[in-house]
Amino acid sequence: MSQGTSSAAVLVEYGAPLQVWNLPIPDLESGSILVRVEATTVCGTDAHMAAGGFPSISRIPLVMGHEIVGRIVELGEGRTKDAMGQSLQVGDLIAWSYAWCGECFWCNIAKQPTLCPNSKSYGWGGADETPYLLGGFSEFAYILPKCKVVKVPSGLDPAIAASTTCSLRTAIHGFEKIGGVSTIDTVVIQGAGAVGLFALAYALRSGASRVITIGAPKERLELAMRWGAYSVLDIEATTHEERVQAIRDVTDGRGADLVVECAGNSAALTEGFSLVRRGGRYLVLGGQSTGEPAKIMGAQFNIGQLHVAGTVSADISHYYRALNFADQNQEIYPFAALLGNRYPLARASEALKSISSGHELRPIIDPHLKVKL
Ligand SMILES: [Zn+2]
Ligand SMILES: [Zn+2]
């Protein structure tokens, strides 16, 4: 049974403005879910991809947006429970992980589903083939049978919830992989974007002795201080030597116990190895895939006895933890400070420009907002 159409902002050509298309709402296959998108937040990755930054893994035309929460409109046959085992009902507000195949080495043997080569992500392609609606810049989204879902806590604003489904869940996955945070740790966060600020909040609530944020601009560093950073270092107003010295000054000359790279550039990655203490830990979340590579001496790993780890994306357990962390800590960290303006589909390209220019951290796409004439 055809269920009508969904307006969606579609990337048709890299570097060109998005177009609003009316896409078919497909019939539900067993185990799938149709949701009404309640909020989608825009990520730096969206803007990078729209500009043509990932041509080998994105496929146009595509419905943009991977930070999404939606309200259940219809449940496919057999889809009765969420990842907690709780029953799902029409009207529930949910978030969902990407669809991993469950039939490969990474899914089953390595237990690293975020490395599944057969995964289907949201916001990366398929607007010209069924089920069409695999992105958040759309009135409705189609949740594939292999996506695991969790309910959004009732006290959490949908846009804040959406913003946690990329940055915070990725940070939580990373902290898990690097072995968590202890009460004697001095933690340095490189980057004051959404990932860096969520990582700051998470490290603080995990009991870190001190968390120091390195980044820019000034307003975000002020936010980091309000959220409880021990100190901040403005990347635009300090030299590399000054930053290294500042970290050594507060750690008896040792360096940080844990450094978390959330900046996504080679200069930060290279610098991080000067900030971490011997025998310390370095978590790489931002990474970098273009431009000059970082230069690192092998001795920093063996003589320095470093533990280095990196993660991308997350599984449903991290989505669950991210949503609940945001819900339980929003009084301490008013996460709405990360959100930007609210854009209708017809102005989604402006949201991409805004995040590229650094004007907003997390613009919101509200697909049901109509353009005022
Ligand atoms: Zn994202
Ligand atoms: Zn797989």
Side-chain angles (χ1 to χ4, degrees), residues 309-349:
T311 52
V312 66
S313 192
D315 69 29
I316 197 66
S317 71
H318 308 114
Y319 283 74
Y320 175 80
R321 287 160 61 187
L323 288 163
N324 282 279
F325 178 86
D327 182 44
Q328 289 159 15
N329 294 286
Q330 55 184 328
E331 304 283 318
I332 308 169
Y333 312 108
F335 296 113
L338 304 179
L339 301 177
N341 294 313
R342 204 168 270 273
Y343 295 83
L345 292 175
R347 292 179 49 212
S349 297

Side-chain angles (χ1 to χ4, degrees), residues 42-46 66-67 166-167 362:
V42 185
C43 175
T45 304
D46 291 317
H66 58 269
E67 305 184 355
C166 178
S167 319
R362 280 295 179 274

Side-chain angles (χ1 to χ4, degrees), residues 69-240:
V69 294
R71 209 169 281 288
I72 297 175
V73 173
E74 189 179 346
L75 290 156
E77 190 187 339
R79 178 70 87 132
T80 57
K81 291 182 176 171
D82 69 4
M84 296 281 290
Q86 295 173 344
S87 78
L88 288 170
Q89 310 289 343
V90 168
D92 285 346
L93 185 63
I94 58 172
W96 59 98
S97 67
Y98 298 153
W100 297 295
C101 78
E103 297 170 356
C104 74
F105 169 83
W106 283 273
C107 284
N108 296 327
I109 307 301
K111 295 189 178 171
Q112 295 169 315
T114 50
L115 297 175
C116 172
N118 312 311
S119 74
K120 191 82 186 161
S121 306
Y122 280 70
W124 289 88
D128 55 349
E129 61 186 11
T130 187
Y132 309 104
L133 306 175
L134 300 179
F137 291 19
S138 173
E139 292 175 300
F140 295 90
Y142 185 93
I143 301 179
L144 294 160
K146 287 192 166 154
C147 295
K148 295 193 172 161
V149 312
V150 285
K151 293 182 194 177
V152 174
S154 59
L156 201 55
D157 174 82
I160 294 174
S163 74
T164 71
T165 65
C166 178
S167 319
L168 180 55
R169 57 88 153 118
T170 301
I172 289 175
H173 183 195
F175 278 111
E176 177 184 87
K177 190 164 182 203
I178 200 75
V181 174
S182 92
T183 52
I184 58 165
D185 283 345
T186 292
V187 180
V188 169
I189 309 279
Q190 297 176 286
V195 180
L197 289 165
F198 272 130
L200 163 73
Y202 194 78
L204 286 167
R205 287 300 279 168
S206 300
S209 167
R210 283 178 293 215
V211 185
I212 298 160
T213 292
I214 299 175
K218 196 161 65 69
E219 302 74 46
R220 292 183 197 168
L221 297 179
E222 286 167 1
L223 180 62
M225 286 302 289
R226 288 202 298 280
W227 282 9
Y230 174 79
S231 62
V232 293
L233 292 164
D234 189 331
I235 194 88
E236 291 166 351
T238 53
T239 64
H240 164 71

